[in-house]
Amino acid sequence: MSFLPSETVDAVIRAARGAALAARPLVGQGDGDAVDAAAVDALRHGLRTLKVDGRVVAGEGEKDDAPMLYPGERFGTGNGPAVDLVVDPVDGTRLAAAGRSGAFCIVALAPRDAFLDIGPAHYAEKVVSAVDGPRVGVPIAESLALVAAARGVPISEVRVAVQTRHRNSEHARAVTDAGAQLVGFEHGDIERSLQVLNGDLDLLIGVGGAPEGVLTAALARTLGGSVSLRFAPQSRLEARRVEQAGLSTGVAVDTDAVCAGEPLVVIASVTGVDLGGGRTLAPATDDAVDVWSSVAEPAERFVKNR
């Protein structure tokens, strides 16, 4: 990892593990905010002693009124490389609260200003693909044809993940009208994106969280593949804030514009993660956490106090 010394990389991994361990006792208790709060507190504690000049640029939580690391929040000792952080202390809090698989801590660090500044944007239209060509603004039927041609299969064998939300009903209809396989999901935008980038799915399309889009771009820089996003406010207030921040809702940006530098990405399992490509992370236990990072293959299992 060229922009971080190895001891700092290890400390980031420890911080993500700590967040997952802190959330673990609250799994299945029905309180997503408590899950988030425990992970946020543990992650904030783990990040404060990093030997970096750290800044949070995007964190999931505000749109759901959940505990969060705040955009603009500083972390680290202030001595060391200047880095930016995009984070979701627990992606899938509702899944964790219900005791279902798919919840995990994810953090991405990159050199200062490498990540797109999404400002007050909560939502974005996204296209995630393992092949070049599909992007926001390209007709969905055309994107499906591009994927089918790249794979050498008929469109009927192309699998497309679309989050089951009213805002995505037209996306889902376009997929089925074209004859592709629609893979609906309730929660787990990043997990489905991982499955696209690792080859189990072909595309993810639709409107979802903007911070997740930045995290997915960091994953695409690591794993290969592409991410395209365009801000898509879902309320008048969000639209006004996005406009006041000078962000465009008419132009899509691609992977390199969303994550312009080499990232460190760490995923620490809370309730288990299907990474795609036959790789999974087991649910955390009271003293052990499965971790995947962009600097270590395969995933590692860390046991507390060892």
Side-chain angles (χ1 to χ4, degrees):
M1 184 57 56
S2 61
F3 73 99
L4 288 176
S6 59
E7 60 267 23
T8 303
V9 172
D10 291 343
V12 174
I13 292 172
R14 285 196 300 272
R17 282 163 35 205
L21 281 171
R24 169 65 185 85
L26 296 161
V27 168
Q29 300 301 307
D31 190 342
D33 282 350
V35 171
D36 258 334
V40 166
D41 288 347
L43 189 57
R44 182 175 282 123
H45 178 78
L47 294 173
R48 67 187 177 91
T49 57
L50 294 184
K51 294 179 180 179
V52 298
D53 173 15
R55 179 182 67 176
V56 179
V57 295
E60 184 67 11
E62 184 181 3
K63 72 180 173 64
D64 300 317
D65 293 322
M68 65 184 293
L69 292 163
Y70 296 92
E73 182 174 339
R74 308 304 287 237
F75 63 91
T77 63
N79 299 314
V83 299
D84 285 345
L85 172 72
V86 182
V87 58
D88 194 344
V90 178
D91 186 72
T93 51
R94 292 175 184 170
L95 297 173
R100 295 166 57 191
S101 64
F104 52 91
C105 171
I106 178 168
V107 300
L109 277 82
R112 179 63 43 86
D113 296 324
F115 292 121
L116 176 68
D117 183 359
I118 65 171
H122 294 161
Y123 290 94
E125 184 176 10
K126 293 173 281 189
V127 173
V128 183
S129 174
V131 303
D132 292 332
R135 66 191 307 272
V136 174
V138 172
I140 289 173
E142 184 176 331
S143 290
L144 296 172
L146 288 169
V147 171
R151 287 188 53 203
V153 299
I155 286 178
S156 60
E157 293 187 22
V158 175
R159 304 184 70 212
V160 186
V162 180
Q163 190 173 26
T164 308
R165 296 288 188 274
H166 178 71
R167 61 180 180 256
N168 291 327
S169 58
E170 291 186 8
H171 298 82
R173 188 177 304 113
V175 170
T176 55
D177 285 351
Q181 298 178 36
L182 177 65
V183 182
F185 65 96
E186 183 181 6
H187 305 292
D189 188 313
I190 296 175
E191 186 177 37
R192 296 313 181 285
S193 295
L194 278 162
Q195 291 164 15
V196 171
L197 298 175
N198 282 318
D200 284 2
L201 297 171
D202 294 299
L203 288 172
L204 177 141
I205 61 173
V207 175
E212 288 93 334
V214 182
L215 286 164
T216 300
L219 286 164
R221 285 294 300 260
T222 296
L223 297 170
S226 67
V227 176
S228 172
L229 67 82
R230 177 173 61 196
F231 297 120
Q234 297 299 296
S235 69
R236 291 180 180 176
L237 175 60
E238 184 187 359
R240 184 167 63 251
R241 293 176 66 189
V242 166
E243 181 180 5
Q244 290 171 346
L247 301 175
S248 173
T249 59
V251 178
V253 292
D254 294 329
T255 309
D256 289 346
V258 183
C259 180
E262 176 191 19
L264 167 67
V265 187
V266 180
I267 293 172
S269 171
V270 177
T271 62
V273 190
D274 182 354
L275 300 171
R279 294 178 292 180
T280 60
L281 303 182
T285 66
D286 290 340
D287 60 1
V289 180
D290 274 9
V291 174
W292 175 90
S293 76
S294 55
V295 295
E297 282 284 358
E300 300 174 272
R301 187 161 184 83
F302 292 90
V303 180
K304 191 176 180 180
N305 298 326
R306 287 191 186 177

